[in-house]
C-alpha cells in the first residue's frame, strides 16, 4: 500500500464506490444532489497542534477564525454558498476557559460574517495535543459546482490574488521576525475565504475548473491537471507576488517564487476559463492549459513541488 497522503486517499477511494449522481473523494467538497434543484456540498478539514499550528504562536481567536476559514475555502472552491458547520474539538487540560472563550469568539465572528450556522459537533478531552476538526456544508444550484475535472485545452489559468503571502508570514513567525511585516503574519492567520469570488465565478460562463490553493499551486494545479486529463504551462514571470513579500524576500534572501508556488495556505482560488471568458473578479492570468499531462514552468530551469503532508 502506498502510504503517501494521496496514495492512501486513492486506496480508500477504490474501496468505497460512490452512489450514482453523487461526487465523492477527489474534489474540494463532496456533492450530494437534493430533489429541489439544489446540490449539497460537504467538506471537512482537521487542524492538529504542532502540525498545522504552534499553540504559543497563534492566538485562540485566530485559531477559531482560521479553522472555519480553511473549511469555508473548500465551499468557495466549488462556487458554493456556506450553510452550516460542525465542530469536533479535543482539548488538552492546559487550556483554560479564557482560551476556549476566545477560540469560540473567532469561530463565531467568521461564521456570522458568512452566515454559516454552527449546528453541532463533539467535545472531548485530549491527553496531549489540541485537535480541531470542522465539517462544513454548503449549497449550489444543481450541477453548477465548479470541479477540478473541468479544465479544457486552451483555457487560461488564473488565480484570485497574490501567492506566497501566507508562507512568507509563516516564515516571519518561525524566524522571530513578525514585526518586519505584520501584514503577512495577519494573512497567515486571518485567512479570508474567497466565498463571494467563488460564487461569482460559478455563475460566469466559460469558467471550467476551480479549486482553492491550500498546498501551493505546484501541488494544487497538478490536481486539476490530473482530474481533467490535461497539461499546463505556467509563466513564472506572471506569478503575482505582493510588494510586502518581495520586500521580505530581499531583506532575508528568501526565494519569492519558491514561496509563491510551494508555500501553501494562501486560500486563493485557482481556476481555468476559456480565453474569452469575462472574469467578474480581480485575478491574475498565470498560464494556459495544454494537451498532455506535463506541468511546465516557463522562465525557470527547475521543477517545483508543493507542500507534502507526509
Ligand atoms: P483539500 O485540500 O481541498 O481539503 P485534500 O487534499 O485534503 O483536499 O483531500 C483530497 C480529497 O480526499 C477530498 O475529496 C477529501 O474529502 C478526500 N479525503 C481526504 N482524506 C480522506 C479520508 N481519510 N477519507 C476519505 N476521504 C478523504
Ligand atoms: Mg481545497
Amino acid at each position: 500500500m502506498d502510504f503517501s497522503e494521496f496514495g492512501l486517499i486513492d486506496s480508500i477511494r477504490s474501496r468505497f464506490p460512490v452512489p450514482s449522481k453523487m461526487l465523492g473523494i477527489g474534489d474540494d467538497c463532496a456533492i450530494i444532489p437534493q430533489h429541489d434543484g439544489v446540490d449539497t456540498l460537504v467538506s471537512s478539514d482537521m487542524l492538529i497542534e504542532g502540525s498545522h499550528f504552534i499553540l504559543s504562536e497563534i492566538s485562540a481567536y485566530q485559531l477559531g477564525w482560521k479553522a472555519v476559514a480553511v473549511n469555508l475555502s473548500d465551499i468557495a472552491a466549488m462556487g458554493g454558498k456556506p450553510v452550516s458547520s460542525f465542530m469536533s474539538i479535543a482539548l488538552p487540560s492546559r487550556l483554560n476557559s479564557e482560551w476556549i472563550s476566545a477560540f469560540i469568539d473567532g469561530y463565531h465572528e467568521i461564521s456570522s460574517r458568512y452566515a454559516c450556522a454552527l449546528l453541532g459537533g463533539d467535545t472531548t478531552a485530549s491527553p496531549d495535543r489540541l485537535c480541531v476538526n470542522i465539517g462544513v456544508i454548503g449549497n449550489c444550484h444543481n450541477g453548477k459546482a465548479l470541479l477540478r475535472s473541468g479544465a479544457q485545452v486552451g483555457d487560461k489559468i488564473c488565480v484570485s490574488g497574490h501567492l506566497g503571502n501566507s508562507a512568507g508570514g509563516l516564515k516571519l513567525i518561525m524566524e522571530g521576525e513578525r514585526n518586519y511585516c505584520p501584514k503577512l503574519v495577519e494573512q497567515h492567520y486571518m485567512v479570508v475565504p474567497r466565498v463571494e469570488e467563488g460564487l461569482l465565478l460559478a455563475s460566469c460562463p466559460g469558467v471550467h475548473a476551480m479549486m482553492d490553493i491550500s498546498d501551493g499551486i505546484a501541488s494544487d494545479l497538478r490536481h486539476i491537471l490530473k482530474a481533467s486529463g490535461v497539461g499546463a504551462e505556467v509563466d513564472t514571470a506572471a506569478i503575482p507576488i505582493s510588494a510586502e513579500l518581495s520586500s521580505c524576500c530581499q531583506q532575508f534572501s528568501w526565494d519569492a517564487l519558491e514561496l509563491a508556488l510551494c508555500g501553501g495556505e494562501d486560500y486563493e482560488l485557482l481556476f481555468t476559463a476559456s480565453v474569452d471568458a469575462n472574469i467578474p473578479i480581480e485575478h491574475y492570468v498565470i498560464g494556459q492549459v495544454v494537451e498532455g499531462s506535463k506541468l511546465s514552468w516557463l522562465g525557470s530551469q527547475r521543477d517545483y513541488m508543493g507542500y507534502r503532508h507526509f
Side-chain angles (χ1 to χ4, degrees):
M1 197 179 202
D2 174 3
F3 275 105
S4 67
E5 181 193 5
F6 298 118
L8 181 57
I9 294 172
D10 279 346
S11 73
I12 294 172
R13 171 154 63 173
S14 67
R15 293 196 54 190
F16 294 86
V18 182
S20 80
K21 303 216 164 85
M22 295 188 191
L23 180 77
I25 296 173
D27 218 302
D28 294 290
C29 293
I31 305 180
I32 309 167
Q34 307 300 324
H35 297 292
D36 53 1
V38 169
D39 286 352
T40 296
L41 308 170
V42 188
S43 179
S44 77
D45 252 312
M46 181 148 59
L47 297 179
I48 309 248
E49 179 186 348
S51 167
H52 299 97
F53 60 90
I54 296 165
L55 204 49
S56 56
E57 300 289 346
I58 187 168
S59 74
Y61 183 93
Q62 288 168 331
L63 187 60
W65 173 287
K66 186 169 178 177
V68 177
V70 303
N71 277 279
L72 293 183
S73 179
D74 277 323
I75 299 287
M78 309 294 284
K81 189 176 172 341
V83 173
S84 60
S85 76
F86 292 78
M87 187 233 317
S88 298
I89 188 162
L91 286 162
S93 57
R94 67 195 134 86
L95 295 178
N96 58 26
S97 58
E98 227 172 295
W99 189 96
I100 295 165
S101 164
F103 174 87
I104 303 294
D105 286 345
Y107 197 113
H108 184 266
E109 176 62 31
I110 186 168
S111 299
S112 348
R113 202 167 292 190
Y114 292 95
C116 186
L118 172 58
L119 296 183
D122 194 21
T123 303
T124 175
S126 167
D128 181 14
R129 294 177 186 205
L130 172 64
C131 173
V132 188
N133 181 72
I134 295 175
V136 281
I137 292 179
N139 63 30
C140 68
H141 295 300
N142 178 248
K144 295 293 183 203
L146 285 169
L147 310 185
R148 296 178 179 183
S149 55
Q152 299 177 14
V153 172
D155 277 0
K156 53 188 172 185
I157 301 172
C158 313
V159 292
S160 60
H162 291 130
L163 302 182
N165 281 354
S166 178
L170 177 61
K171 244 170 130 52
L172 290 172
I173 295 162
M174 301 310 284
E175 296 181 13
E177 295 282 359
R178 279 167 176 262
N179 293 335
Y180 185 80
C181 186
K183 191 172 163 201
L184 292 188
V185 173
E186 175 84 1
Q187 277 180 267
H188 180 69
Y189 287 141
M190 301 299 282
V191 169
V192 177
R194 301 295 180 202
V195 174
E196 293 88 354
E197 291 85 347
L199 285 165
L200 287 168
L201 289 168
S203 57
C204 171
V207 178
H208 294 144
M210 185 155 74
M211 69 181 297
D212 66 330
I213 305 172
S214 53
D215 295 341
I217 64 162
S219 167
D220 293 329
L221 180 54
R222 286 177 215 274
H223 294 311
I224 288 186
L225 302 185
K226 192 173 171 207
S228 304
V230 294
E233 287 174 349
V234 171
D235 177 5
T236 55
I239 298 296
I241 290 170
S242 69
E244 291 84 2
L245 184 62
S246 291
S247 150
C248 288
C249 288
Q250 271 191 343
Q251 173 74 15
F252 302 109
S253 304
W254 300 341
D255 181 342
L257 197 55
E258 165 97 30
L259 289 172
L261 301 179
C262 315
E265 295 214 275
D266 283 312
Y267 297 102
E268 293 293 348
L269 297 173
L270 170 65
F271 57 98
T272 82
S274 41
V275 277
D276 56 357
N278 209 350
I279 306 299
I281 62 162
E282 194 187 313
H283 67 286
Y284 300 88
V285 178
I286 59 163
Q288 61 169 331
V289 176
V290 298
E291 279 177 23
S293 57
K294 196 165 170 264
L295 173 51
S296 314
W297 304 102
L298 306 184
S300 173
Q301 302 302 324
R302 51 166 290 202
D303 196 9
Y304 295 90
M305 303 305 286
Y307 181 76
R308 295 262 150 196
H309 297 266
F310 56 94

